[in-house]
Amino acid sequence: MYSRVEHPAGGYKKLFETVEELSSPITAHVKGRIPIWLKGSLLRCGPGLFEVGSEPFYHLFDGQALLHKFDFKEGHVTYYRRFFSYFKGVEVTDNALVNVYPVGEDFYACTETNFITRIDPENLETIKKVDVSKYISVNGVTAHPHIENDGTVFNIGNCFGKNFSLAYNIVRIPPLKADKKDPITKCEVVVQFPCSDRFKPSYVHSFGLTPNYIVFVETPVKINLLKFLSSWSLWGANYMDCFESNENMGVWMHVADKKKGKYLNIKYRTSPFNLFHHINTYEDNGFLVVDLCTWKGYEFVYNYLYLANLRENWEEVKKNAQKAPQPEVRRYVLPLNIEKADTGKNLITLPNTTATAILRSDDTIWLEPEVIFSGPRQAFEFPQINYTKYSGKLYTYAYGLGLNHFVPDRLCKMNVKTKETWVWQETDAYPSEPIFVSQPDGLEEDDGVILSIVISPGSGPKPAYLLILSAKDMSEVARAEVDINIPVTFHGLFKKA
């Protein structure tokens, strides 16, 4: 799973170059054979404009949002992209460059504020901007909602509670009903998690969901709300000034009963890490198994994602990454049934994990993880699973983007039970988040393909392509090449036709 490739030519800098939108879709040149059953659209979000006139953006998350689409039809592929029309005069950013998700029959692009942008998945037009805080008490919601198979959407956001104390609300948007009324107008708060600090919420990027429980991991990366609410310029240039670290809190994990909407007052504690992405969470005989892509320590990883850092020459990129928090894939196991008599003991009785949970005399439960993958400055990030069938359930496989000193240079598959790994990698090729698409009649968890946008500035005649891999062994099935560069994308989805 390690990258054994160096990048002295610096081809990764192409990920952070401004591009133009397209006036109409272009045809991709297909090598190999696209599976006949693969029909639909891959939608992806990311920054596409890195300066306005002579004014550069400074941080990876400041570039203006560009929406990308690869369409698959009868073995042919087209590529299209458009900038979001920008809404002027907004105090809080609505730059929806992080992800796309469905609500009812609609699709929304989002970042991490209270604004989400409804888009037309056919022509990529911006339809309208929606302020979620008009319907529900949240200051923002994450770009990683959970979507259940009936269309119910769960998300988390921080909010001001009573007396201006802070909390985190879990929001539920119901599926589309017969009345065809916009489900967002019917959203509700189902449970509230307390905040470790009355005035400073933690940065929250994703959360865990199982059929019966909601898991929220509260990290020491804090948002200074006074700065947050006053610092948004139109371009969000001061976004990074809003973050600070609490060097003493470690990590607090919280659990709520999803069906009863009740917070379980169990004090799970562990040593500090940053967290962006949950891989999966599931229930197992009275325990919650929580698999996470962590970055060790309390310093904020985003401090290392300034564009100037990412565009450095390879030796400098490596030097910067040495100083940053180190990545590790971890499994935490949270016991749900606590007996006071067990003080001092490891409460975990599951046979196949080395994770521990020790009940302390102050009623906290100290968690130590099982490490699933760890390599110096080598991350398994942007994780994906066979979500429709295995989200919230016992699972075996995770797919991830391999970051080598923050440079995305491989795609990985991991068996989370045996720790066996498979890797796709090519010299001078820089992929993006792997999206799993299941085969329509697939029976096994990994029956399907992986889709990833790859840029290859140095190696061939075409600067970018959509890569299709077998989800079984990560071997190449096909690629659809385009004649233009594609900048970095963060997240997205496959919309089946």
Side-chain angles (χ1 to χ4, degrees):
M1 188 117 91
Y2 302 93
S3 175
R4 309 221 183 281
V5 175
E6 296 277 317
H7 302 287
Y12 50 81
K13 297 177 192 182
K14 280 279 191 199
L15 289 166
F16 316 111
E17 271 184 21
T18 290
V19 296
E20 291 182 346
E21 63 180 9
L22 293 169
S23 54
S24 59
I26 58 172
T27 302
H29 172 69
V30 174
K31 284 186 174 165
R33 287 189 68 174
I34 310 272
I36 285 303
W37 56 263
L38 189 63
K39 299 181 182 106
S41 313
L42 176 70
L43 296 168
R44 305 276 305 159
C45 275
L49 182 71
F50 293 94
E51 60 283 301
V52 172
S54 59
E55 272 295 294
F57 294 132
Y58 294 103
H59 199 270
L60 181 58
F61 297 117
D62 292 339
Q64 194 184 331
L66 184 62
L67 191 58
H68 306 256
K69 178 167 81 136
F70 278 91
D71 266 332
F72 299 84
K73 201 171 179 183
E74 290 157 8
H76 298 285
V77 182
T78 58
Y79 170 63
Y80 187 42
R81 66 183 179 214
R82 289 188 69 166
F83 282 106
F84 287 82
S85 52
Y86 211 86
F87 303 99
K88 296 280 186 282
V90 177
E91 290 107 44
V92 175
T93 186
D94 57 353
N95 189 20
L97 81 171
V98 182
N99 205 357
V100 186
Y101 59 90
V103 177
E105 291 175 342
D106 300 326
F107 285 82
Y108 287 88
C110 61
T111 175
E112 301 185 312
T113 65
N114 48 310
F115 291 108
I116 59 176
T117 303
R118 190 173 148 205
I119 56 152
D120 181 328
E122 291 312 307
N123 60 20
L124 305 189
E125 274 182 16
T126 308
I127 298 171
K128 66 171 179 179
K129 188 175 61 167
V130 175
D131 180 352
V132 183
S133 65
K134 284 194 171 143
Y135 303 101
I136 203 104
S137 172
V138 284
N139 308 339
V141 287
T142 77
H144 291 286
H146 277 282
I147 293 148
E148 300 193 314
N149 290 341
D150 69 351
T152 304
V153 178
F154 282 89
N155 210 339
I156 187 169
N158 55 55
C159 70
F160 294 113
K162 290 177 188 152
N163 316 323
F164 281 107
S165 65
L166 285 161
Y168 309 89
N169 281 343
I170 293 284
V171 177
R172 178 183 177 274
I173 304 175
L176 192 66
K177 297 286 195 292
D179 64 11
K180 294 284 187 195
K181 199 166 178 235
D182 181 356
I184 289 178
T185 62
K186 303 176 182 177
C187 63
E188 57 180 353
V189 171
V190 288
V191 69
Q192 191 165 75
F193 289 111
C195 182
S196 60
D197 181 325
R198 196 176 147 189
F199 298 111
K200 290 174 185 164
S202 290
Y203 173 70
V204 50
H205 192 92
S206 64
F207 64 105
L209 191 74
T210 73
N212 297 296
Y213 296 96
I214 302 162
V215 177
F216 165 49
V217 177
E218 192 180 15
T219 71
V221 175
K222 292 286 181 180
I223 299 169
N224 182 322
L225 271 179
L226 292 172
K227 285 187 183 172
F228 182 79
L229 295 173
S230 59
S231 81
W232 288 106
S233 66
L234 183 62
W235 297 108
N238 304 317
Y239 176 67
M240 287 302 296
D241 299 342
C242 310
F243 296 103
E244 51 194 60
S245 291
N246 179 329
E247 299 179 14
N248 305 312
M249 76 168 270
V251 162
W252 295 20
M253 295 200 194
H254 304 268
V255 176
D257 183 312
K258 178 181 156 202
K259 295 201 165 142
K260 295 179 183 157
K262 184 168 171 268
Y263 176 65
L264 306 185
N265 197 11
I266 306 175
K267 299 184 176 79
Y268 303 103
R269 302 286 182 266
T270 189
S271 46
F273 58 78
N274 286 216
L275 170 68
F276 305 101
H277 302 117
H278 282 246
I279 302 174
N280 198 12
T281 310
Y282 62 87
E283 303 163 28
D284 191 352
N285 290 306
F287 298 91
L288 286 171
V289 178
V290 183
D291 290 352
L292 306 171
C293 297
T294 68
W295 297 80
K296 299 178 222 176
Y298 51 73
E299 191 199 359
F300 196 23
V301 171
Y302 284 6
N303 292 340
Y304 292 86
L305 301 182
Y306 281 95
L307 289 163
N309 278 6
L310 298 171
R311 290 167 171 154
E312 290 270 22
N313 289 330
W314 178 235
E315 291 306 314
E316 289 300 311
V317 164
K318 286 201 289 189
K319 257 186 229 160
N320 286 329
Q322 305 266 352
K323 302 175 212 149
Q326 291 307 303
E328 199 162 77
V329 178
R330 293 177 173 179
R331 167 166 291 180
Y332 286 91
V333 180
L334 282 52
L336 292 165
N337 311 310
I338 317 296
E339 299 289 336
K340 194 82 176 119
D342 289 331
T343 304
K345 290 185 190 153
N346 173 22
L347 306 180
I348 296 173
T349 52
L350 292 181
N352 43 13
T353 183
T354 54
T356 59
I358 309 284
L359 177 61
R360 293 178 161 182
S361 53
D362 62 359
D363 285 344
T364 59
I365 294 172
W366 185 261
L367 304 171
E368 287 292 344
E370 172 181 355
V371 175
I372 295 180
F373 171 72
S374 185
R377 292 160 290 285
Q378 303 285 317
F380 176 95
E381 256 292 353
F382 295 86
Q384 291 280 324
I385 60 170
N386 180 343
Y387 186 88
T388 342
K389 287 188 180 166
Y390 290 87
S391 175
K393 300 184 180 125
L394 179 74
Y395 75 118
T396 306
Y397 300 113
Y399 300 89
L401 179 63
L403 303 181
N404 173 9
H405 299 75
F406 293 118
V407 169
D409 70 0
R410 64 204 183 279
L411 295 165
C412 313
K413 175 184 181 179
M414 177 165 61
N415 180 323
V416 296
K417 295 173 180 168
T418 66
K419 304 183 173 65
E420 186 184 1
T421 59
W422 297 258
V423 174
W424 175 91
Q425 182 166 43
E426 276 184 9
T427 308
D428 282 333
Y430 304 98
S432 64
E433 172 190 58
I435 297 284
F436 176 87
V437 185
S438 62
Q439 210 167 315
D441 48 4
L443 298 174
E444 295 186 331
E445 183 178 340
D446 55 357
D447 279 341
V449 294
I450 292 297
L451 304 180
S452 177
I453 296 176
V454 182
I455 71 150
S456 54
S459 57
K462 308 279 189 201
Y465 53 94
L466 191 283
L467 178 67
I468 304 175
L469 300 178
S470 154
K472 286 262 184 223
D473 61 5
M474 301 299 276
S475 63
E476 183 170 330
V477 174
R479 58 178 71 185
E481 301 175 329
V482 291
D483 274 321
I484 50 177
N485 184 40
I486 300 178
V488 60
T489 58
F490 299 128
H491 300 288
L493 58 80
F494 187 76
K495 175 183 173 287
K496 292 188 174 174

